């Protein structure tokens, strides 16, 4: 029996997609083999990659002057690739709204000066600071944000005023969950294991003029965007099977009506849980309402033993991976695209019963 999996990542995937993968597991179309067994230079795989790219371009309305790269190494490798490729003055401004931007800034410090121009560390990252008039460094190569904070459950809803500087955004845990205007960014990236596909694929969307040879001199070949851009993500063996699954997820989303359609569903889903949290006397959300994420919803009872009891009983009842991150405590329900609305309704029902009994 499949459970309701509220994991923050790797996370739930659409059942429909898993079924297609199951049916094509031994023999992909007329190839006589699994996608896992194919040469990455074969016609079949080339089609899989090109379709995935085309469909993602459609879904996100990605302009022609942006390249889509299917890479490996997760978010963490981007923490290094971004400064290595973009830090020409060796200066960058980072907005610190959680662990992931903090870690990204830490990695960038290996290569240059990092100015932390805003932070919400003072209140355990439970809010998004005002980003409308920051002290942006005049020589900053870029301004960095983590747009959805997976751990804390906040989202940057108004992009920072970068005062003309390049905006770089980690969208790992909100990839394809709501429409974004790609034109506002120099580079967007995300590990796909939160909302798009299996762990092992990282998607980078980068404006073409930023793909250059004059990167920091010690940058390894594999960590240059140009290496991958010049070879259409086929410089070396890419994560073929993961890209195939991402491609199926893109088709699933297109069939559903695209990002606008899933965004409406995501709003509806999150509202069910947030409305209950706001009315409950037992459970409460941990972040400022205006900054709430549609994807990750942390909540607590305020009593550690009761939290533990809830997590154990929820797990027993088929609501899995609902334990919060250790730095927040309590619970966290991740409501990614593939979480059916029914899962949230049943969770809230379960929470209501738990509240009545405790
Ligand atoms: C999970 C996560 C990361 C880290 O990704 P890895 O692929 O594990 O390196 C980075 N940023 C955000 C927002 C995340 O949610």
């Amino acid at each position: 029996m499949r459970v309701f999996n509220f994991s923050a990542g790797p996370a739930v995937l659409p059942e429909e997609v898993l079924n297609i993968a199951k049916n094509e597991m031994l023999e992909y179309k007329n190839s006589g083999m699994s996608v896992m067994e194919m040469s990455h230079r074969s016609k079949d795989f080339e089609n899989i990659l090109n379709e995935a790219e085309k469909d993602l371009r459609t879904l996100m309305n990605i302009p022609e002057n942006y390249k889509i790269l299917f890479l490996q190494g997760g978010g963490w490798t981007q923490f290094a690739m971004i400064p290595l490729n973009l830090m020409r003055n060796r200066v960058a401004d980072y907005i610190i709204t959680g662990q992931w931007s903090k870690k990204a800034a830490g990695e960038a410090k290996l290569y240059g000066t990092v100015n932390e121009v805003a932070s919400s560390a003072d209140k355990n990252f439970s809010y998004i600071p005002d980003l409308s008039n920051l002290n942006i460094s005049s020589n900053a190569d870029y301004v960095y944000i983590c747009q959805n904070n997976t751990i804390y459950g906040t989202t940057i809803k108004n992009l920072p005023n970068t005062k003309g500087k390049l905006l770089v955004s980690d969208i790992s845990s909100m990839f394809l969950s709501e429409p974004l205007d790609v034109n506002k960014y120099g580079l967007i990236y995300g590990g796909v294991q939160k909302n798009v596909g299996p762990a092992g694929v990282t998607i980078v969307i980068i404006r073409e003029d930023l793909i250059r040879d004059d990167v920091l001199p010690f940058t390894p070949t594999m960590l240059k965007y140009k290496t991958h851009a010049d070879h259409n993500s086929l410089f070396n063996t890419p994560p073929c099977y993961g890209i195939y699954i991402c491609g199926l997820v893109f088709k699933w989303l297109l069939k559903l009506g695209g990002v606008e359609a899933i965004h409406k569903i995501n709003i509806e889903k999150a509202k069910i849980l947030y409305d209950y949290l706001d009315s409950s006397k037992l459970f409460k959300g941990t972040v400022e309402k205006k900054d709430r994420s549609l994807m990750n919803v942390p909540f607590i009872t305020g009593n550690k033993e009761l939290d533990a009891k809830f997590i154990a009983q929820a797990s027993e009842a088929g609501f899995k991976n609902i334990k919060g991150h250790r730095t927040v405590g309590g619970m966290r329900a991740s409501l990614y695209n593939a979480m059916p609305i029914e899962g949230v309704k049943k969770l809230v029902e379960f929470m209501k019963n738990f509240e009545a009994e405790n």
Side-chain angles (χ1 to χ4, degrees), residues 8-10 73-79 99-101 103-104 144-151 170-174 189-194 199-202 296 332 336:
W76 266 96
T77 300
Q78 292 312 306
F79 297 171
Q99 298 292 332
W100 293 122
S101 35
K103 284 171 173 152
Y144 183 100
I145 57 171
C146 175
Q147 206 162 325
N148 184 72
N149 296 285
T150 324
I151 294 172
D170 175 357
I171 60 161
S172 295
S173 49
M174 63 181 290
Y189 77 92
V192 304
Q193 71 271 26
K194 308 288 161 68
V201 181
T202 313
N296 311 98
R332 170 178 50 175
Y336 295 125

Side-chain angles (χ1 to χ4, degrees), residues 232-248:
N232 188 31
S233 302
L234 287 170
F235 169 70
N236 71 329
T237 319
C240 301
Y241 197 76
I243 292 171
Y244 156 72
I245 300 287
C246 290
L248 293 179

Side-chain angles (χ1 to χ4, degrees), residues 319-331:
F319 305 101
K320 299 289 182 190
N321 296 315
I322 210 152
K323 191 175 190 310
H325 191 268
R326 62 185 186 282
T327 60
V328 181
M331 287 67 71

Side-chain angles (χ1 to χ4, degrees), residues 43-56:
K43 200 85 212 140
D44 276 319
F45 185 73
E46 200 184 308
N47 286 340
I48 289 170
L49 181 65
N50 290 341
E51 283 272 304
E53 201 214 296
K54 184 181 74 139
D55 289 341
L56 182 60

